[in-house]
Amino acid sequence: MADARAAQPEWQRAGPVPRAAALDHAAAAMWDDREALTQLVVREVGRPVREARAEVERSVAIIRYYAQASFDADGETFPAIDGRSW
């Protein structure tokens, strides 16, 4: 936990491109090892293989979603001075 807290300021300053790349890399690594992760869930949690596989695949999808979410604009927007353009 301390390592995560220490890394947070750099992660925040990194911007969306490196954050997305890091999350994409994590998702790809999980996808490549999805069968091993599935078996781990089966052993650790006792889930049926089909449910464990779906859980792993859903986890990969969530990480991929958040990789792209780093590009979403946030904050406030203000109308243009001319009132017509966005």
Side-chain angles (χ1 to χ4, degrees):
M1 185 71 126
D3 289 343
R5 287 179 197 217
Q8 197 277 332
E10 183 179 346
W11 178 257
Q12 186 177 11
R13 284 190 303 272
V17 173
R19 289 197 308 253
L23 290 171
D24 279 334
H25 181 74
M30 287 179 65
W31 184 256
D32 291 345
D33 290 335
R34 66 189 175 277
E35 284 307 314
L37 291 169
T38 296
Q39 292 306 314
L40 181 63
V41 171
V42 168
R43 286 193 311 273
E44 291 292 318
V45 184
R47 291 240 174 131
V49 173
R50 176 180 274 176
E51 287 181 20
R53 185 173 292 119
E55 184 175 334
V56 170
E57 291 176 2
R58 183 172 184 269
S59 297
V60 170
I62 289 169
I63 292 172
R64 287 182 175 153
Y65 169 83
Y66 280 106
Q68 294 306 305
S70 67
F71 294 106
D72 286 347
D74 62 352
E76 294 183 35
T77 59
F78 299 95
I81 294 173
D82 66 8
R84 295 177 296 161
S85 58
W86 294 90

